[in-house]
Amino acid sequence: MTDRVPVLKIGEILLVSIQFDLEDQTVLDLQEDLSNRIVATGAKGVVIDISALEIVDSFVGRMLATNASISRILGAETIVVGMRPAVAMTLVELGLSLNGVRTAMNLERGLKLLRRLAAGRA
Amino acid sequence: MKDYGTAVATAETVEVTTSSDVVNARQVVRTLAQRGGLPLVHQTKLVTAASELGRNMLIYGGGGVVRAALVADSGRSGVYVEFRDQGPGIPDIETAMQDGWTSGSGLGLGLSGAKRLVDEFDIATGEGGTTVRIVKWGR
Ligand SMILES: Nc1ncnc2c1ncn2[C@@H]1O[C@H](COP(=O)(O)OP(=O)(O)OP(=O)(O)O)[C@@H](O)[C@H]1O
Ligand SMILES: [Mg+2]
């Protein structure tokens, strides 16, 4: 048994705040939980806060990219917020471009971006 | 790559048989990098490389041992990390080192990316297993 990352529902948005260093199974569980919750709640947006993450390696990076694609197909936009500068620099050198993953500096800006995207779609 | 055999004598050791051991190995490497005074970006790059190599060791090498130690060379300090498994080895290392090459379902970025993230990188592989050794220096 591994810990699961909580997925919180706030209005039409799902909020995921990753607070500890994740092992691979927890990453996979999160991906599955998120897809299920998007469908179950009809959420229009997902915010994943990674400000507490000290590293993002290819495994977590792939989860973020896959999740962005899945949620889009399910009708929700995903914004990844709070990536540390050192993490961003490392990701680029690792060779992970995170194409298709929307990012914002912090939670507040992420929510703002989601609202703008929602308005654009309406 | 220089022989860091003496450093290994005092190294911290993490046996990796599960994915939570990979998390432990990352933490041991991070603590050493902090103790060695590596700048934050260097710490982050080193720990990310260690995560990739630790996962490879677990998935493809069937697990193994991670050893990490502080090293010093002409006034600068760094962190040495060794990943040793007794898995099947990598048949075509040239190909495996290329960006995007994977025998599984990965992105094929682990080996090539880890090499870019560190200052020294050495891989020895054969039927007896694979050993990857890396060093990241401070300023
Ligand atoms: N310790 C090892 N023992 C045996 N084979 C290995 C080992 N490490 C890597 N390999 C082989 O080299 C290939 C490339 O490894 P690399 O880490 O670059 O990519 P990946 O693990 O397939 O994908 P990613 O790391 O991007 O998720 C692997 O697919 C695997 O076939
Ligand atoms: Mg890999």
Side-chain angles (χ1 to χ4, degrees):
Chain A
M1 264 304 285
T2 49
D3 293 328
R4 277 180 122 89
V5 179
V7 178
L8 307 177
K9 180 175 178 298
I10 304 166
E12 294 206 297
I13 288 172
L14 297 179
L15 176 64
V16 179
S17 179
I18 302 176
Q19 290 299 330
F20 53 94
D21 191 359
L22 305 182
E23 65 176 87
D24 291 357
Q25 188 55 49
T26 314
V27 173
L28 296 175
D29 290 344
L30 173 59
Q31 186 165 312
E32 194 181 326
D33 288 350
L34 255 177
S35 316
N36 290 336
R37 288 292 297 279
I38 291 169
V39 173
T41 61
K44 291 283 168 261
V46 177
V47 176
I48 304 180
D49 183 353
I50 60 165
S51 56
L53 280 191
E54 293 178 330
I55 67 156
V56 170
D57 63 11
S58 67
F59 201 82
V60 172
R62 186 160 50 141
M63 180 275 284
L64 294 174
T66 307
N67 178 260
S69 312
I70 295 175
S71 64
R72 202 162 288 146
I73 293 170
L74 297 175
E77 239 355 284
T78 297
I79 319 276
V80 173
V81 305
M83 184 184 292
R84 300 180 180 194
V87 169
M89 291 164 77
T90 301
L91 272 179
V92 170
E93 205 161 323
L94 185 62
L96 217 63
S97 56
L98 291 191
N99 279 333
V101 178
R102 285 180 194 274
T103 56
M105 205 121 90
N106 53 39
L107 187 56
E108 196 183 341
R109 292 201 190 183
L111 292 173
K112 225 185 227 166
L113 177 55
L114 270 184
R115 273 197 297 273
R116 225 176 49 224
L117 291 170
R121 257 195 321 225
Chain B
M1 184 166 161
K2 216 176 110 185
D3 182 13
Y4 292 99
T6 49
V8 178
T10 59
E12 310 230 12
T13 301
V14 181
E15 300 216 9
V16 173
T17 54
T18 68
S19 69
S20 77
D21 297 330
V22 177
V23 175
N24 283 342
R26 288 204 287 253
Q27 262 140 25
V28 165
V29 171
R30 169 168 294 274
T31 305
L32 275 177
Q34 283 166 344
R35 260 188 21 221
L38 267 64
L40 181 62
V41 176
H42 293 223
Q43 287 178 29
T44 306
K45 289 180 180 179
L46 174 67
V47 178
T48 305
S51 185
E52 297 297 335
L53 298 171
R55 179 179 299 108
N56 279 355
M57 194 174 80
L58 178 65
I59 294 177
Y60 306 110
V65 179
V66 177
R67 290 192 180 83
L70 286 177
V71 287
D73 183 38
S74 44
R76 56 183 186 165
S77 62
V79 179
Y80 166 87
V81 193
E82 177 184 291
F83 306 81
R84 188 181 290 270
D85 69 56
Q86 289 169 351
I90 307 173
D92 183 352
I93 185 65
E94 314 260 287
T95 308
M97 284 302 302
Q98 284 169 17
D99 266 355
W101 192 85
T102 175
S103 67
S105 58
L107 297 172
L109 286 177
L111 284 176
S112 51
K115 185 175 181 183
R116 278 192 294 272
L117 290 171
V118 298
D119 298 315
E120 294 179 41
F121 183 99
D122 180 81
I123 184 163
T125 185
E127 276 168 23
T130 301
T131 300
V132 183
R133 301 179 303 145
I134 57 175
V135 179
K136 185 79 180 167
W137 295 107
R139 269 183 253 269

